[in-house]
Amino acid sequence: MAIIFAFGMGYGFNYLFMGFFTANFIGWYSDDRKFRMTLVLFFLVETVPLLYHLKEVWNPGLLYTLPFLVIMMLSPFGIRSMNRQQKLERELAHANEQIRNLIKGEERMRIARDLHDTLGHTLSLITLKSQLVEKLVGVNADQARAEAREIQNTSRAALRQVRELVSDMRTATLAEELREARIILESAGIELTHEGNPRFEGIPDTAHNILSLCLREAVTNVVKHSRASKCHIGFEQTESEWRLSVKDDGIGVSNGTDSQAAKEKNGLKGMGERLALVGGTMKMTARDGTQLTVFVPIVITNHKGCEAG
């Protein structure tokens, strides 16, 4: 500011435009008191030479300088507002991450409590009866066989309890993953659009969970590798299959690697292995970006419990 003032007073008002650099730095002050003090000083540094050369500036041919000087004086407020918004966005992202971690921790604690309360007593009973069978084998074979049968019944009950716990646990759904995808993509500056209903009719829990994990993996790849600005997610249900597509306008899979190498690099190999569990397939195309399409066949179960595709 001292250099600007000296040059502005001694050599001409055009040197006042050097203040654009100073205005930028003033906007980065986070302390309100320092910001106000430097802004007032900067205003004096700019206005005193301007008033000193007012006769030159008031020339109709030089009036173009005044709008630029006004913009220069207002720019610290704009830069400071932008920095505050970025800080708030970082704090919000950090808070959301903490909330997710707390939710995960609470879910782990709930699962641990359920497992302890449900299976702890049953497994302790199996251990005690196993020790009793070991003692009775050489003394009373009939009673040992009876205790062994009770162990079998108890173990079946424990297996049934585990299945009930697993079925009661909240699995990932496409609707929830779509909401998570919007948060992740918006944080990365990628615009999300979607088409279709993520709530597929009649889809089994296993297939639904696998499709949700595929959507999560695809969105993660878009954020990490695509350098895209837009992402479109499509949901479609036909008579023979459920279909999920994720398309971005990024660099595509052909930028230095072929399609197969991209699958290996971006973790899509694991996605294909998961889809194989439900007879699903996937297809990747690279045109104006990358599009990943996942297909899961609809399996119809007849009244006898047999499955027919």
Side-chain angles (χ1 to χ4, degrees), residues 15-75:
Y15 286 96
L16 299 180
F17 290 110
M18 295 170 60
F20 274 108
F21 298 99
T22 306
N24 174 65
F25 288 113
I26 292 174
W28 287 86
Y29 272 119
S30 57
D31 182 79
D32 291 338
R33 183 170 175 272
K34 290 182 178 179
F35 176 76
R36 288 193 296 267
M37 289 178 58
T38 52
L39 190 64
V40 169
L41 182 59
F42 179 63
F43 180 79
L44 293 175
V45 166
E46 291 290 333
T47 54
V48 170
L50 182 65
L51 294 175
Y52 182 75
H53 296 285
L54 188 61
K55 292 183 180 179
E56 300 177 44
V57 178
W58 203 248
N59 186 323
L62 298 177
L63 286 178
Y64 72 92
T65 60
L66 295 179
F68 289 100
L69 289 173
V70 171
I71 293 172
M72 181 170 56
M73 298 304 299
L74 294 177
S75 61

Side-chain angles (χ1 to χ4, degrees), residues 102-160:
L102 289 173
I103 292 174
K104 291 177 183 178
E106 180 61 28
E107 187 70 9
R108 292 191 187 100
M109 291 295 295
R110 185 188 69 81
I111 294 171
R113 287 194 301 266
D114 290 345
L115 288 174
H116 179 269
D117 296 341
T118 305
L119 295 180
H121 173 73
T122 304
L123 294 177
S124 298
L125 181 60
I126 290 175
T127 301
L128 291 173
K129 284 189 173 294
S130 299
Q131 294 172 351
L132 180 59
V133 168
E134 184 180 6
K135 295 177 181 179
L136 291 174
V137 167
V139 179
N140 191 335
D142 293 336
Q143 188 177 354
R145 281 192 292 269
E147 293 292 342
R149 284 192 295 270
E150 288 191 22
I151 291 175
Q152 292 176 8
N153 295 332
T154 306
S155 64
R156 291 193 184 98
L159 180 59
R160 185 170 58 253

Side-chain angles (χ1 to χ4, degrees), residues 202-255:
I203 186 170
D205 291 340
T206 303
H208 199 174
N209 191 44
I210 289 176
L211 276 175
S212 301
L213 294 175
C214 290
L215 176 58
R216 183 185 304 175
E217 179 68 24
V219 170
T220 301
N221 285 337
V222 170
V223 173
K224 287 185 177 180
H225 307 292
S226 70
R227 304 179 193 171
S229 60
K230 295 181 180 180
C231 178
H232 180 78
I233 299 175
F235 306 92
E236 184 180 357
Q237 180 173 352
T238 65
E239 293 181 358
S240 59
E241 64 186 9
W242 296 288
R243 192 176 301 168
L244 166 68
S245 63
V246 180
K247 187 180 188 310
D248 63 74
D249 62 348
I251 59 177
V253 297
S254 60
N255 186 22

